[in-house]
Amino acid sequence: VQSGRLGYISTWSAISRRYPKEDIRRAFELMERVGIAHYADTRADQLSGGERQRVGVVRALMQEPDILLADEPTASLDPKTSEQIMGLLRDLAGELKLPVLINIHNVAEAKEYTDRIVGMRYGRIIFDDLPSKLDQAAMDEIYAGSPHADRSDGMAAAS
């Protein structure tokens, strides 16, 4: 978790593991909040996938970001753990008044846990609205077609 602060402390402090008391306090506070405080002395590689995701969230929050970027936060997680992680991100966003931008391909999770969905196709915004407004027509427009059949701008397709 403290590795989230490595860019903010001296190399010597990092090597000797002498983190500022405020960083240690905040780490324990955040670990408690996400339910992993009892793993404080456990290496991340000894944790389950969901526990590792929680470590990653705390590590990112230790950097005190203005926005939290989450790239496929539920990839490789079982459905129950995926729900927990998405709920955690939603709850933290509200509690910390922190915008969370999530890149996710699970449409059901996006619709259930977010306030807004932006659907893109080949670098263009196709849909930008409330999750409840994402209907089958919008889904078809986002996911149908090939990158070359309807492109006139000459830009390379992004994945």
Side-chain angles (χ1 to χ4, degrees):
V1 167
Q2 288 294 344
S3 67
R5 296 300 297 165
L6 291 179
Y8 304 91
I9 62 174
S10 72
T11 303
W12 176 248
S13 293
I15 291 170
S16 62
R17 296 184 176 214
R18 294 189 179 173
Y19 298 98
K21 287 185 192 274
E22 176 57 24
D23 287 354
I24 294 169
R25 185 201 60 76
R26 176 131 171 93
F28 275 104
E29 177 183 290
L30 289 169
M31 288 188 304
E32 183 70 37
R33 170 57 189 88
V34 304
I36 59 168
H38 57 287
Y39 292 119
D41 294 323
T42 305
R43 291 176 42 95
D45 62 2
Q46 296 175 335
L47 301 175
S48 71
E51 292 158 348
R52 287 182 192 186
Q53 287 297 76
R54 287 174 175 81
V55 168
V57 169
V58 172
R59 195 177 288 155
L61 292 174
M62 288 296 293
Q63 297 178 47
E64 300 176 0
D66 292 327
I67 185 170
L68 182 61
L69 304 175
D71 186 17
E72 294 289 350
T74 60
S76 303
L77 298 179
D78 64 82
K80 181 179 179 184
T81 305
S82 293
E83 289 176 11
Q84 292 170 349
I85 294 298
M86 290 299 289
L88 176 65
L89 290 171
R90 179 193 54 213
D91 295 348
L92 286 170
E95 291 169 22
L96 301 174
K97 296 181 180 25
L98 177 69
V100 178
L101 180 62
I102 301 170
N103 173 38
I104 191 166
H105 291 88
N106 184 318
V107 177
E109 286 179 359
K111 288 179 84 168
E112 184 172 348
Y113 292 100
T114 64
D115 298 326
R116 175 179 166 197
I117 292 178
V118 177
M120 298 182 73
R121 180 171 163 218
Y122 309 119
R124 291 192 177 140
I125 295 175
I126 303 297
F127 179 86
D128 183 357
D129 210 332
L130 299 171
S132 61
K133 304 277 178 131
L134 183 64
D135 59 12
Q136 190 59 50
M139 294 283 293
D140 289 345
E141 191 173 353
I142 293 166
Y143 290 108
S146 69
H148 305 291
D150 60 349
R151 309 225 359 133
S152 60
D153 62 0
M155 294 177 56
S159 57

